[in-house]
Amino acid sequence: MSRTRSRPARLFLGLLAVGLVAVACETPDDSFVTTATTTTPTTDPPLTTQPSASTTAPTTTVAPVGEDGVLRIGSLLPETGSLAAFGPPLIGAVELAVIDVNAAGGVLGQPVELLAADSGSDADLATAALAPVLDGGADLVVGPAVSGVARRVFDSILTRPAMSCLPSITAADIGVGDSPLALRTAPSDDLQVVALAELAAGDEPASVALLVAEDERGLRFASGLVAELTDREIPLAAEQVYDAEADDLSGPVEAVADAAADVVIVVGALDSAPLLAQLVDAGVDAGSIIVSDGLATPQLGERAAEDDPTVVAGVRGTVPTDIAPLAAEFFLPAFVEFAGNVDTFFAAQAYDCVAVVALAAVSVSSTDPVTLADAVVDVTVGGTPCDAIADCVALLADGTDIDYVGASGIDLDEGGEATSAVYDVFVYGPDGTQEPLEQIGVGPAAAALEASGTEDGADAESDPTDDEGTDDEGTDDDAG
């Protein structure tokens, strides 16, 4: 897998925060939106859900939706609660995509319908909100926004059957590749491990130590990192897992410190931030520590040691950003004009969830989810490149195979996973504040990033109001 490092013209590190303050925005035209309420759920076709306290998806019994000639897009995204800050960019992008598809003639001569539901802040609320979306006949559900919710509702969507598209969840343990009905436009952690290993390799270390949260995401991350480091012939001095809920983490911390590795990679959520101060106290140089996106917050110093935020000075990390070198130029200005003053947090990926499924529906003249699943990958690779949805529809009408470039520069592999990613690399300065360094490209984005010749990140943007990173595992949720 190719990797290239370059310096960015602009970074959006501050936009990747779970607890950021939601920005007021213009109210978009929602005349095409049907809000799926949970107060009077329909019962035809039947939907029976048995909630579970575990992270396994609930058992769901449903009748098939079938082919009715109308493409219905469901969205299960947060509008209220502690995760509401994720909502505006994702919701706005889905709405804009539906408008653009309908402006291009819709699907099978019919306008696309949008069934919008508020997933709220936890899996129980999302499960209740999902029922009327599915009962309304959704052929595709965009969302949820975070992995803790997705683990509970994922199977309920796929067994409808309906297609599922994850625009902001990077946790690779969510089994997108296990079902032909599922796709992910966000870059998975399987790509981020390449960026982390590349960042570590840049130090030419004699050895690397891993300190990884003992959960589904962390263990998958660790496996990928070991493989990448081995591929680079970098010795592993220590591999320690830790229980983020344990009162005493001195054992794994001391084991990593005793290994005296040149680089220490920490994979975890924000609740793991105090580990960084413990590592430094145990003698690990902060400048040798690299963190995953779960710890990517401008307030990491305060989370690590409230009385001394400078403890993280020198710590570096990676976080996914927009795939600007491969993306079509139309999206950002169009989104800003439509949505107003909101973040762009995975907005491009949410737009592409709708676009690729709609284009697949046009290409095979069907709205049946099972039929669409076989066509989704084909419209993103191997054909004549096209940017705007209307241009792609025109090519399909002429019988031309297309390669939808899309808002995020999307290419899907046979498992429905994005094959490219660009990661922002950041460092915490002497006062413990987050500063941009460079970008690392993985997959096809690597060559495109190098060719784009992006410049130094002196004009990088950051949102000082942000308070969280992309991984909110403190509430069993993960956005990134």
Side-chain angles (χ1 to χ4, degrees):
M1 188 173 288
S2 59
R3 321 90 177 158
T4 299
R5 299 202 285 179
S6 178
R7 302 189 73 84
R10 300 178 68 182
L11 301 179
F12 296 94
L13 297 176
L15 303 180
L16 296 168
V18 173
L20 57 86
V21 177
V23 183
C25 61
E26 299 173 10
T27 303
D29 178 3
D30 58 0
S31 58
F32 60 92
V33 179
T34 301
T35 302
T37 63
T38 58
T39 52
T40 55
T42 59
T43 56
D44 183 22
L47 175 65
T48 304
T49 304
Q50 299 172 358
S52 166
S54 71
T55 56
T56 8
T59 302
T60 305
T61 305
V62 293
V65 175
E67 171 74 75
D68 64 3
V70 176
L71 182 64
R72 294 181 178 89
I73 306 296
S75 70
L76 187 65
L77 298 167
E79 300 175 28
T80 58
S82 61
L83 301 175
F86 280 120
L90 301 175
I91 293 168
V94 169
E95 293 177 350
L96 178 59
V98 170
I99 288 175
D100 287 350
V101 172
N102 287 338
V107 172
L108 303 181
Q110 300 294 322
V112 173
E113 296 179 6
L114 177 58
L115 306 173
D118 177 10
S119 64
S121 58
D122 61 51
D124 289 334
L125 293 173
T127 299
L130 175 63
V133 171
L134 295 178
D135 287 344
D139 302 297
L140 164 72
V141 176
V142 181
V146 293
S147 65
V149 175
R151 291 186 183 103
R152 283 278 297 276
V153 304
F154 196 55
D155 285 352
S156 297
I157 297 169
L158 302 180
T159 55
R160 177 69 182 182
M163 292 198 68
S164 168
C165 184
L166 305 179
S168 59
I169 295 174
T170 64
D173 62 276
I174 304 292
V176 170
D178 296 335
S179 171
L181 290 167
L183 63 144
R184 186 202 317 260
T185 51
S188 82
D189 286 341
D190 289 343
L191 298 178
Q192 186 177 180
V193 297
V194 178
L196 283 171
E198 174 74 1
L199 180 58
D203 293 343
E204 298 183 355
S207 63
V208 171
L210 304 183
L211 185 57
V212 179
E214 193 174 13
D215 54 32
E216 290 176 285
R217 188 190 189 201
L219 296 176
R220 171 95 178 223
F221 227 118
S223 176
L225 280 170
V226 170
E228 285 295 325
L229 294 171
T230 301
D231 183 53
R232 290 169 171 78
E233 298 182 346
I234 299 174
L236 191 63
E239 182 181 356
Q240 291 288 314
V241 296
Y242 66 90
D243 180 355
E245 297 181 1
D247 294 329
D248 183 7
L249 296 176
S250 58
V253 167
E254 290 173 5
V256 167
D258 291 345
D262 294 325
V263 172
V264 175
I265 300 178
V266 180
V267 176
L270 285 172
D271 288 348
S272 305
L275 273 179
L276 303 179
Q278 294 177 44
L279 284 170
V280 173
D281 287 344
V284 176
D285 180 4
S288 71
I289 299 174
I290 294 174
V291 298
S292 66
D293 65 339
L295 290 158
T297 171
Q299 281 71 44
L300 183 61
E302 297 170 11
R303 298 294 293 264
E306 188 175 354
D307 58 341
D308 183 18
T310 65
V311 70
V312 299
V315 171
R316 292 166 294 162
T318 61
V319 71
T321 189
D322 293 333
I323 309 178
L326 292 176
E329 295 181 358
F330 76 86
F331 177 71
L332 186 58
F335 181 75
V336 170
E337 181 179 357
F338 173 75
N341 187 27
V342 302
D343 301 322
T344 58
F345 173 69
F346 286 125
Q349 285 78 8
Y351 182 95
D352 282 347
C353 278
V354 177
V356 296
V357 171
L359 291 171
V362 173
S363 71
V364 295
S365 299
S366 174
T367 63
D368 172 58
V370 176
T371 304
L372 295 179
D374 293 333
V376 164
V377 173
D378 290 343
V379 299
T380 71
V381 294
T384 299
C386 55
D387 292 345
I389 291 173
D391 295 338
C392 296
V393 168
L395 287 172
L396 289 171
D398 289 339
T400 304
D401 233 2
I402 66 167
D403 176 357
Y404 171 64
V405 174
S408 66
I410 188 72
D411 280 334
L412 296 174
D413 64 18
E414 292 183 357
E417 295 273 14
T419 61
S420 273
V422 172
Y423 292 89
D424 291 332
V425 178
F426 56 86
V427 66
Y428 292 92
D431 58 354
T433 59
Q434 194 183 76
E435 301 171 1
L437 279 180
E438 59 190 354
Q439 288 184 315
I440 295 177
V442 180
L449 186 63
E450 183 177 23
S452 70
T454 49
E455 299 173 354
D456 191 284
D459 63 343
E461 293 187 358
S462 169
D463 186 343
T465 65
D466 293 350
D467 185 43
E468 305 289 341
T470 61
D471 184 351
D472 188 24
E473 290 289 351
T475 55
D476 286 331
D477 294 322
D478 165 38

